[in-house]
Amino acid sequence: EVQLVESGGGLVKPGGSLRLSCAASGFTFSTYAMHWVRQAPGRGLEWVSSTTASSSYRFYADSVKGRFTISRDNARNSLYLQINSLRDEDTAVYYCARDSGDFGGALGDYWGQGTLVTVSS
Amino acid sequence: QSVLTQPPSASGTPGQRVTISCSGRSSNIGSKVVNWYQQVSGAAPKLLIYSNNQRPSGVPDRFSGSKSGTSASLAISGLQSEDEADYYCAAWDVSLNGWVFGGGTKLTVL
């Protein structure tokens, strides 16, 4: 069974940093592209970042470019999102989602339960 | 303001057929496939339709997708109470080099 479990969210002050993690199981992690998608309270879905299976390509939304870094450790079946210089508008539930292939498939054939990041002083 | 445009709400009675539209541009829907997601309140999103009109295993055939030009549609036939949820469209945008989502449509089953 495919499982994605996010962790690392919490309350952080503006300008602070967090590292989100996504532990994957039930599939060959190293052969799938992965994504981060966020959802601010009461708002819609917003794509944040994607990485191909081998990390050869990484993509970022303009709203997070230069502040967020996506990475993965295929040996540990884990996806990460380093988020720096946090702003109030980064407050959201952050979802880890699997691609149905190595970036050419569908974003999000499986999703984690999300981890909440709250930016507040 | 979302790159893809969806109506904020839709409604129908049990058994009815409803459609939800998603409008984009040549750089996204016009040149790439469209996916649809269902998000029941408080839960993670679920992939409903991929590659414009394909259903993942386990998704009832009451759900169907279509695309024409720079617009796409999700149709739900035989509406059921458990279909009450938020629905989102998404596509890769070749100009932005990223995924774009619609703002979401809240479906109410009356």
Side-chain angles (χ1 to χ4, degrees):
Chain A
E1 179 194 4
V2 172
Q3 283 200 316
L4 299 170
V5 180
E6 302 95 334
S7 60
L11 176 62
V12 61
K13 289 181 168 52
S17 299
L18 274 179
R19 188 196 197 204
L20 307 184
S21 299
C22 172
S25 61
F27 65 101
T28 306
F29 181 73
S30 61
T31 63
Y32 288 87
M34 296 294 295
H35 312 273
W36 288 100
V37 176
R38 69 183 179 182
Q39 186 169 34
R43 306 293 295 273
L45 301 175
E46 179 190 15
W47 170 75
V48 173
S49 183
S50 302
T51 176
T52 54
S54 62
S55 303
S56 298
Y57 296 94
R58 308 181 199 195
F59 303 91
Y60 298 92
D62 286 345
S63 58
V64 307
K65 206 170 289 184
R67 300 187 299 122
F68 289 17
T69 302
I70 191 171
S71 63
R72 62 190 296 160
D73 185 338
N74 287 343
R76 294 178 182 271
N77 293 336
S78 293
L79 177 73
Y80 305 102
L81 186 68
Q82 178 68 41
I83 49 181
N84 299 329
S85 304
L86 278 159
R87 306 168 180 166
D88 290 350
E89 55 265 34
D90 295 320
T91 293
V93 173
Y94 285 73
Y95 293 102
C96 160
R98 193 185 83 163
D99 197 282
S100 63
D102 186 9
F103 216 87
L107 183 161
D109 63 347
Y110 288 91
W111 296 69
Q113 84 289 350
T115 188
L116 176 62
V117 173
T118 303
V119 183
S120 174
S121 53
Chain B
Q1 189 81 356
S2 301
V3 174
L4 304 183
T5 301
Q6 297 179 236
S9 63
S11 63
T13 56
Q16 266 192 331
R17 181 178 188 271
V18 298
T19 60
I20 297 172
S21 62
C22 175
S23 177
R25 307 170 185 160
S26 58
S27 60
N28 42 64
I29 293 178
S31 54
K32 293 295 181 180
V33 297
V34 177
N35 302 325
W36 289 91
Y37 305 86
Q38 177 192 60
Q39 186 178 33
V40 176
S41 180
K46 168 189 169 184
L47 181 65
L48 202 61
I49 296 287
Y50 67 97
S51 294
N52 303 328
N53 55 19
Q54 301 299 301
R55 285 186 308 278
S57 173
V59 173
D61 59 6
R62 302 187 295 105
F63 295 90
S64 62
S66 63
K67 188 183 96 165
S68 178
T70 59
S71 293
S73 291
L74 172 71
I76 309 172
S77 60
L79 199 61
Q80 298 180 5
S81 58
E82 56 260 39
D83 298 333
E84 191 160 283
D86 294 323
Y87 293 84
Y88 297 89
C89 58
W92 180 261
D93 191 297
V94 298
S95 296
L96 297 174
N97 227 17
W99 286 93
V100 290
F101 280 91
T105 299
K106 184 175 187 63
L107 175 64
T108 301
V109 181
L110 302 169

